[in-house]
Amino acid sequence: MAERWVHLLSFFLVMVALHRADASVPAMFILGDSIADVGTNSLLTFSIIRADFPYNGIDFPSSQPTGRFSNGFNIVDFIANLTGFQISPPPFLSLVNSQSSMDEQFPKGVSFASGGSGLLDETGKYFGVVPLGQQIQQFATVQSNLTAAIGSEETEKLLSKSLFLISSGSNDIISRFPVIGGLNNEDFIESLSDAYDNHIKNLFKLGARKFAIVGVPAIGCCPMSRLSDDNDNCHKEMNEYARDFQTTLTALLQKLSSEYEEMKYSLGNAYEITTNIIDDPPAFMIAGLNPTNLIYKKYSKYEIKGVIQLQLLSKFSDFKDVKSACCGTGRSNATFPCLQPFATVCSNRDDYLFWDLVHPTQHAAQLAAQTLYRGPPSLVFPINFSQLVEDD
């Protein structure tokens, strides 16, 4: 345990040094769940939702688990890279015991995302995670520290130009199954919308202006959800919740942007992105994005115990398996988590859409990030992440 902590803390310190590159925004602040978590839960003593064990990180440059729920980099790493940073900002909790680290990193951004968390405080309550409301409280600490260090005017200017990326809502819906009773579908979705409304308003009060929001994907089609069907078909009701929430979230953001003139946003339709990939990967490549047009920049090399490189792929291969988990145990590799030595791990990881029970592979994360950053209005509305970043 002690050796693992030393490795993780050393890694986070390297991330602080590497985060800033030639970025299009002064800072990135990441909030949300395991899709965006870059190690927060690894620093939570009592969290049982964590990824700081093999085979996670098998394709990361160090080939070590980093706290990411992935075989390598995750979506926010690639979005940060596209924005001009070398990698996603480090977890807030990796900085709080060092004033010098906070002074250095806070102006560049930090990550608050915690795997297993949700829009509602009760989501993940017994798993030892950080709900979105508490993540925003942590950001308030960052805002306060920035104000003390550079003054209120400069802090306001910095935050107004920074990118706030949020990925939340999936765990709220997943946690609803197989719950019987309680709120009906419409009322439950409304409760999520009310929570999101409150969270965005709180962030806006603290200085956030640019919101890059990732919607809820087709979570009914992840390997874990498919186990509810004898033929491994998608969980239809769960997908209906995800689709309905996307519609509600679209309306909410339109309403908020009309109320707050300075608010700018981009909403990624993760539901459509995932269903399109699952239904017909080659067609999605052709109709949604032309990969050769996306390779507009190569990124510089940097060091993490040796020279490595994070850069865009020259092409995306078709996914050969969009149902099973690459890493896991049992039926569809989805009856037990990706935990060495109990799990088996596939060798052809780029052929898989899913890394484990619910999370995408590094390859899938990269395609999703590309889509969010450069995709058409049918998948990213009303502007894509790139246009949001460049919007002054």
Side-chain angles (χ1 to χ4, degrees), residues 45-64:
T45 305
F46 299 107
S47 176
I48 62 174
I49 307 295
R50 52 201 312 130
D52 54 347
F53 50 81
Y55 294 100
N56 293 297
I58 190 173
D59 294 317
F60 202 80
S62 62
S63 296
Q64 296 290 323

Side-chain angles (χ1 to χ4, degrees), residues 322-364:
V322 296
K323 292 185 176 182
S324 305
C326 167
C327 184
T329 305
R331 179 175 143 204
S332 298
N333 253 8
T335 57
F336 194 77
C338 177
L339 178 62
Q340 189 185 44
F342 308 104
T344 58
V345 60
C346 65
S347 58
N348 51 335
R349 290 178 282 279
D350 284 355
D351 288 345
Y352 280 72
L353 176 60
F354 293 100
W355 163 240
D356 60 12
L357 306 181
V358 295
H359 302 102
T361 58
Q362 173 180 263
H363 191 65

Side-chain angles (χ1 to χ4, degrees), residues 131-151:
L132 186 55
Q134 190 176 334
Q135 293 177 37
I136 295 172
Q137 292 174 18
Q138 292 176 342
F139 170 68
T141 301
V142 172
Q143 192 254 19
S144 179
N145 273 263
L146 285 171
T147 300
I150 62 177

Side-chain angles (χ1 to χ4, degrees), residues 97-302:
N97 293 325
S98 169
Q99 187 62 50
S100 61
S101 293
M102 290 191 292
D103 291 343
E104 179 183 356
Q105 185 60 42
F106 282 0
K108 308 172 194 175
V110 290
S111 175
F112 309 95
S114 174
S117 68
L119 294 164
L120 306 176
D121 287 345
E122 56 263 35
T123 300
K125 181 178 180 180
Y126 300 106
F127 297 149
V129 302
V130 186
L132 186 55
Q134 190 176 334
Q135 293 177 37
I136 295 172
Q137 292 174 18
Q138 292 176 342
F139 170 68
T141 301
V142 172
Q143 192 254 19
S144 179
N145 273 263
L146 285 171
T147 300
I150 62 177
S152 58
E153 186 175 339
E154 287 302 311
T155 298
E156 182 179 341
K157 185 185 301 183
L158 183 148
L159 296 180
S160 69
K161 295 180 179 296
S162 298
L163 188 67
F164 288 77
L165 192 152
I166 308 173
S167 170
S168 191
S170 295
N171 291 318
D172 299 284
I173 296 174
I174 290 174
S175 298
R176 186 164 170 76
F177 294 87
V179 175
I180 300 174
L183 299 176
N184 60 34
N185 184 338
E186 185 177 340
D187 290 339
F188 178 70
I189 295 300
E190 185 178 349
S191 73
L192 297 186
S193 177
D194 290 344
Y196 226 137
D197 178 84
N198 184 58
H199 294 320
I200 291 176
K201 286 178 178 176
N202 285 337
L203 284 169
F204 190 89
K205 290 175 184 176
L206 290 167
R209 295 295 182 269
K210 289 187 175 186
F211 297 87
I213 295 178
V214 182
V216 173
I219 49 179
C221 292
C222 68
M224 179 182 71
S225 301
R226 288 178 183 270
L227 291 180
S228 64
D229 184 88
D230 292 339
N231 297 315
D232 292 337
N233 293 316
C234 296
H235 193 301
K236 291 183 179 179
E237 189 178 2
M238 196 177 290
N239 277 349
E240 286 174 3
Y241 273 75
R243 187 176 60 248
D244 290 347
F245 182 61
Q246 177 71 29
T247 302
T248 300
L249 185 55
T250 300
L252 171 65
L253 292 171
Q254 289 175 325
K255 178 181 75 73
L256 287 173
S257 64
S258 66
E259 293 176 4
Y260 298 96
E261 189 175 324
E262 296 178 0
M263 176 182 168
K264 302 171 183 177
Y265 76 93
S266 174
L267 172 60
N269 193 335
Y271 183 87
E272 284 298 320
I273 293 172
T274 50
T275 54
N276 286 346
I277 292 173
I278 289 169
D279 291 343
D280 194 345
F284 176 77
M285 304 298 182
I286 296 170
L289 294 169
N290 181 350
T292 59
N293 290 337
L294 296 172
I295 312 309
Y296 70 99
K297 183 177 181 181
K298 287 189 176 181
Y299 297 94
S300 60
K301 294 181 180 180
Y302 54 89

Side-chain angles (χ1 to χ4, degrees), residues 79 163 210-213 264-269 289 294 369-391:
I79 291 175
L163 188 67
K210 289 187 175 186
F211 297 87
I213 295 178
K264 302 171 183 177
Y265 76 93
S266 174
L267 172 60
N269 193 335
L289 294 169
L294 296 172
Q370 293 278 20
T371 307
L372 293 167
Y373 204 77
R374 296 286 186 184
S378 59
L379 299 175
V380 201
F381 177 85
I383 56 177
N384 58 38
F385 284 15
S386 173
Q387 292 167 322
L388 178 66
V389 165
E390 299 298 334
D391 190 341

